[in-house]
Amino acid sequence: MTENRRFLLRRRPDGDPVRDDFELVSAPVPSPPPGGFVMRNHYCSIDPAMRGWMDDEPSYMPPIALDDPVRATTVGVVHASDNDDYAVGQWVMGLNAIEEYSVVTPGHFTAPVDVEAVDSPTRFLTAMGAVSLTAYFGMTDVAKPKAGETLCVTGAAGAVGSVVGQIGKIHGCRVIGIAGGAEKCRRLTEDYSFDVAIDYRGKDIEELRAEIAQAAPDGLDMVFENVGSPIMEAEVFNLATHARIVLCGLISEYNAEERVGLRNLWQLIVHQATIHGFLIADYAPRFPEGGAKIMEWVREGKLRIDEDVQEGIENSYDTFMRLFSGANEGKQILKLP
Ligand code: NDP
């Protein structure tokens, strides 16, 4: 290949991202910088967090600069190298962008991965990627599940949520999942062994509140929050005493022009509950430990991790928007053949 197609952010989205906020451009394939290398990206992780990186708001990372390619974690192969530690053909993974070739300068986080140890390089974006590690550390380090407790997880059929619920089951908890649509709810109970699935679509907060109360008559000991209000408010009305809330994501707010927020914070006082803002980056030194445990559960058949692989850089926008329509069936990945 002689060209490098790149998916650029041209304009900051206002509410829902639209096609014209982005542009697919073609550039020459770059040469390796002194001491660095050029990576051919084979798979891009498509994550809800990318929406936040498109806004010029204070965050845990600087915003994507306008006219830069959209930032993404990628897995690929060293294409050309000026670094003896990174031979051409070596598989690597790092925080790069949606583009066919990425320049990796010395000191930039991109590390070798052992593709011989897994059945597919996509495993580095799924089982051993940030989403599974988020579920693992959010559950084991923050929620700290005990057998017999009740866990409720939102975005339950998604990449993080499905793993969270299964980890709850591994720890002997009763697991309630909230997701959109009958098919996703079927997957929750049949594919991921959740105890109860609640379809939130078309329901108001009172209906959700009642359904959660019916599923958890003694209240929710743990809430793993991926979505936000109004679903989160319905959960918070159902807390057990000393409940733990892992605040992992608020996808219902990412494109919202007006944010609903949590109007029943008082319930946290009533139930002496704790709410813990969680960021996976905090756990980077422990990623090998988490990845090893997750792979052990996968090999033992205790954990199922689904991947939704779309193909072609020209489909970047459509693939990204699947996260917000709920079309993704598992971890959303874009393959750059
Ligand atoms: P998912 O695979 O769960 O995909 C996103 C899902 O969110 C969709 O399939 C859809 O499912 C649901 N969704 C989208 N819009 C809405 C809405 N308005 N209301 C309710 N549900 C909605 O994505 P991930 O597993 O990658 O991410 C899940 C959450 O975890 C996100 O909030 C993300 O930001 C967060 N996260 C946080 C991390 C951290 O370190 N704090 C790290 C990684 C992820 P449905 O069809 O059920 O509506």
Side-chain angles (χ1 to χ4, degrees):
M1 275 218 239
T2 54
E3 61 167 359
N4 179 19
R5 287 183 297 164
R6 315 178 81 203
F7 182 60
L8 306 189
L9 179 68
R10 288 295 197 201
R11 190 171 68 189
R12 302 214 178 275
D14 182 13
D16 287 320
V18 296
R19 219 171 274 280
D20 284 351
D21 294 333
F22 309 93
E23 192 184 359
L24 187 63
V25 301
S26 189
V29 175
S31 300
F37 59 91
V38 171
M39 166 181 179
R40 169 69 168 93
N41 294 312
H42 286 243
Y43 299 96
C44 302
S45 179
I46 305 298
D47 295 299
M50 292 155 82
R51 176 63 187 86
W53 302 338
M54 292 171 191
D55 289 335
D56 191 3
E57 279 186 10
S59 186
Y60 56 92
M61 234 182 227
I64 302 167
L66 289 180
D67 303 328
D68 268 6
V70 172
R71 183 187 295 142
T73 302
T74 65
V75 177
V77 169
V78 175
H79 167 76
S81 179
D82 184 47
N83 184 324
D84 291 343
D85 292 337
Y86 291 89
V88 171
Q90 157 86 59
W91 278 85
V92 286
M93 170 186 159
L95 189 58
N96 296 297
I98 305 179
E99 55 187 351
E100 289 172 320
Y101 295 87
S102 291
V103 172
V104 181
T105 50
H108 175 91
F109 170 69
T110 294
V113 289
D114 180 9
V115 290
E116 301 298 325
V118 289
D119 52 352
S120 160
T122 53
R123 287 287 192 186
F124 294 100
L125 303 179
T126 58
M128 287 180 289
V131 286
S132 297
L133 293 165
T134 295
Y136 177 79
F137 289 112
M139 282 298 286
T140 58
D141 232 59
V142 184
K144 295 191 167 74
K146 294 192 261 313
E149 287 189 322
T150 300
L151 162 72
C152 186
V153 52
T154 54
V160 172
S162 59
V163 178
V164 165
Q166 293 177 85
I167 293 175
K169 290 306 298 176
I170 289 169
H171 285 83
C173 298
R174 174 171 170 78
V175 177
I176 301 163
I178 304 183
E183 170 53 20
K184 284 199 178 176
C185 286
R186 183 201 64 73
R187 284 175 45 212
L188 291 185
T189 52
E190 291 180 18
D191 296 349
Y192 303 133
S193 305
F194 284 41
D195 297 285
V196 181
I198 296 176
D199 180 359
Y200 73 86
R201 290 199 194 263
K203 291 180 187 152
D204 64 23
I205 183 168
E206 289 309 324
E207 289 168 296
L208 286 171
R209 183 178 171 177
E211 279 195 47
I212 297 168
Q214 194 180 10
D218 297 326
L220 303 173
D221 301 295
M222 292 164 288
V223 168
F224 199 106
E225 190 55 50
N226 290 317
V227 166
S229 291
I231 299 174
M232 188 175 180
E233 281 186 355
E235 292 167 310
V236 166
F237 276 122
N238 279 291
L239 295 178
T241 303
H242 297 138
R244 292 93 71 198
I245 303 174
V246 184
L247 187 59
C248 175
L250 294 168
I251 197 167
S252 70
E253 298 192 0
Y254 295 172
N255 294 326
E257 280 155 33
E258 278 185 38
R259 291 173 176 159
V260 178
L262 197 60
R263 294 166 296 190
N264 54 354
L265 266 177
W266 171 248
Q267 293 297 318
L268 268 69
I269 299 170
V270 170
H271 297 287
Q272 303 133 73
T274 54
I275 185 162
H276 183 116
F278 175 88
L279 196 59
I280 186 56
D282 240 13
Y283 289 87
R286 292 178 59 195
F287 282 0
E289 166 204 330
K293 192 69 200 171
I294 287 164
M295 283 312 290
E296 186 185 314
W297 283 332
V298 169
R299 284 191 207 99
E300 288 171 357
K302 292 181 179 164
L303 190 54
R304 169 176 170 154
I305 297 184
D306 286 319
E307 302 179 354
D308 181 329
V309 182
Q310 302 294 308
E311 221 171 285
I313 195 164
E314 62 281 5
N315 295 318
S316 301
Y317 170 77
D318 292 320
T319 304
F320 179 51
M321 294 309 289
R322 289 168 66 83
L323 294 172
F324 301 101
S325 66
N328 65 307
E329 295 178 0
K331 172 74 193 94
Q332 191 67 74
I333 291 172
L334 181 67
K335 182 176 182 183
L336 309 185

